[in-house]
Amino acid sequence: MCAHSRVEANMQPDDALDLKAIVRSLLAAVAYTPSIGPEIIKGSMDELENAVMKEVRSWNVDDGQHGAVFASLAAKAASIVEFCYHNHTFEVKVSIALYSWFFFYIDDIASEQSLEDYQRRFLLGFPQEDPVLVHLNTTLGRMYNYWDPICANLIGCAALECLSGTLLENRPEISKMAVRPGAISWPKYLRTMSGVGPGYSCAIFPKQTHRDISAYIQILPDIGDYFCLANDVLSFYKEELAGETTNQVHLRADTTGKHPKRVLIEMVEEVRDLHIRITTTLEEQPEALAAWKTFEYGYMCVALLLGFSVSSFMIQKCVASVN
């Protein structure tokens, strides 16, 4: 959000702030401009989706809908990867897409009991009761084929944290609890656990093309924050229409005593600052910078297209036309 826009926003009563304009300002803050022609990547997206489904079908697990449920998860996973990791090799894309597929499964389908018991069984070497989660172990293990061991560790740790974060968000006593004003770190803590930011940040830099981890390691925390904050801003409009009040914006509003729209403005400014800081920090690392720009542009685009966000009133067509 530019300085002039911030001044105007600060002068308006909270209820008069234009929610659509605030969300749009995020795209301006990161210099995002939608392009046209989704057919440019449709073929490669279909190929990736088919590869994910080939793996899923090999598990011989029935989703109760003749494969339609699992296929819908594969379509969303393929979209994320094709846009955000457009220039990765196909094998690397398949690994990230399967990784993403599991998060949709965890969020939408997996039982609370299977999630609560996953890590205990994982650490003790016991078989998983959920026939799908059995294969998460293998998916995480494959990350070492394509990423530096430290990054592969972080990708795996992010998956385990996501399990705990999802369980926390779904616990009735957590979702219904009054957020205390002094618990200012709680919203970010919960969001970081469930957001998988460290995993998707590391995925930007496979070892085949980014052999020196020192070229990007210092900026991974900022990319993780960017990943979660940008999504929270872009999804807020839809969530507000649905009456959701347990998201990051409302949690931060509860702990700070600010109006949710004021919090949203602050989050846009944080994303802008992260955008500048990441780009500046990577200036002397051209390969890492190019990979980041591909991810950033694609992430903004896919967030709009997947309905996490404001696409209903803003963007009709966009595609990751990045090199």
Side-chain angles (χ1 to χ4, degrees):
M1 184 177 290
C2 67
H4 178 68
S5 298
R6 290 199 300 273
V7 171
E8 286 187 344
N10 289 333
M11 293 175 63
Q12 296 182 51
D14 292 338
D15 290 334
L17 292 168
D18 186 342
L19 181 57
K20 295 178 183 179
I22 296 171
V23 178
R24 283 193 185 100
S25 70
L26 171 65
L27 303 183
V30 301
Y32 172 84
T33 303
S35 60
I36 59 173
E39 69 277 4
I40 294 173
I41 63 167
K42 188 178 186 307
S44 55
M45 192 179 297
D46 290 344
E47 183 182 8
L48 182 57
E49 183 180 339
N50 290 336
V52 172
M53 279 308 298
K54 181 179 180 180
E55 175 76 14
V56 172
R57 282 192 292 268
S58 74
W59 304 338
N60 294 317
V61 179
D62 183 12
D63 66 2
Q65 295 293 330
H66 306 289
V69 175
F70 289 171
S72 69
L73 304 186
K76 290 191 287 187
S79 297
I80 290 174
V81 174
E82 190 57 47
F83 279 97
C84 298
Y85 307 98
H86 188 64
N87 294 321
H88 286 9
T89 65
F90 186 72
E91 292 77 12
V92 171
K93 288 181 184 179
V94 172
S95 291
I96 310 172
L98 283 167
Y99 184 73
S100 302
W101 188 95
F102 274 104
F103 295 124
F104 288 119
Y105 179 82
I106 288 166
D107 193 45
D108 298 339
I109 299 174
S111 70
E112 179 180 346
Q113 180 59 44
S114 66
L115 296 182
E116 284 185 345
D117 212 27
Y118 176 86
Q119 192 163 332
R120 182 183 72 86
R121 291 177 173 275
F122 177 78
L123 293 173
L124 294 175
F126 294 165
Q128 299 292 335
E129 292 186 349
D130 185 315
V132 170
L133 292 180
V134 168
H135 301 280
L136 176 57
N137 304 21
T138 303
T139 297
L140 297 180
R142 288 175 181 166
M143 298 302 171
Y144 294 88
N145 295 335
Y146 305 111
W147 282 273
D148 180 276
I150 298 298
C151 285
N153 287 344
L154 293 172
I155 291 170
C157 288
L160 297 180
E161 281 211 338
C162 179
L163 294 175
S164 297
T166 300
L167 286 166
L168 269 177
E169 289 178 340
N170 292 336
R171 282 277 184 95
E173 64 267 35
I174 299 298
S175 61
K176 295 178 182 178
M177 74 178 181
V179 180
R180 301 177 181 91
I184 59 174
S185 297
W186 167 248
K188 183 176 181 179
Y189 175 76
L190 182 62
R191 186 66 180 94
T192 300
M193 287 188 69
S194 62
V196 208
Y200 283 111
S201 301
C202 288
I204 298 172
F205 308 106
K207 63 183 179 181
Q208 181 179 359
T209 49
H210 303 275
R211 297 187 180 280
D212 183 1
I213 193 173
S214 69
Y216 58 83
I217 191 68
Q218 296 178 59
I219 209 63
L220 289 181
D222 282 343
I223 296 177
D225 287 346
Y226 182 106
F227 180 85
C228 291
L229 279 168
N231 181 69
D232 291 336
V233 173
L234 291 175
S235 63
F236 184 70
Y237 179 78
K238 184 183 73 174
E239 292 170 353
E240 196 72 353
L241 291 179
E244 296 183 27
T245 58
T246 57
N247 52 42
Q248 176 79 349
V249 176
H250 281 282
L251 288 177
R252 283 179 57 162
D254 290 341
T255 60
T256 60
K258 297 177 181 178
H259 192 283
K261 290 181 182 179
R262 294 290 175 189
V263 172
L264 196 66
I265 290 172
E266 291 179 355
M267 292 171 69
V268 169
E269 293 175 355
E270 289 170 25
V271 173
R272 178 208 61 204
D273 292 344
L274 287 164
H275 164 79
I276 294 171
R277 191 158 67 236
I278 294 167
T279 303
T280 301
T281 304
L282 293 177
E283 277 182 344
E284 296 182 2
Q285 304 293 336
E287 292 182 351
L289 179 60
W292 157 249
K293 287 183 175 180
T294 296
F295 174 84
E296 182 183 36
Y297 186 93
Y299 183 60
M300 287 294 169
C301 190
V302 77
L304 295 167
L305 286 175
L306 283 181
F308 296 153
S309 59
V310 295
S311 56
S312 59
F313 67 79
M314 189 186 306
I315 302 296
Q316 298 302 317
K317 290 184 178 181
C318 70
V319 67
S321 58
V322 288
N323 298 314

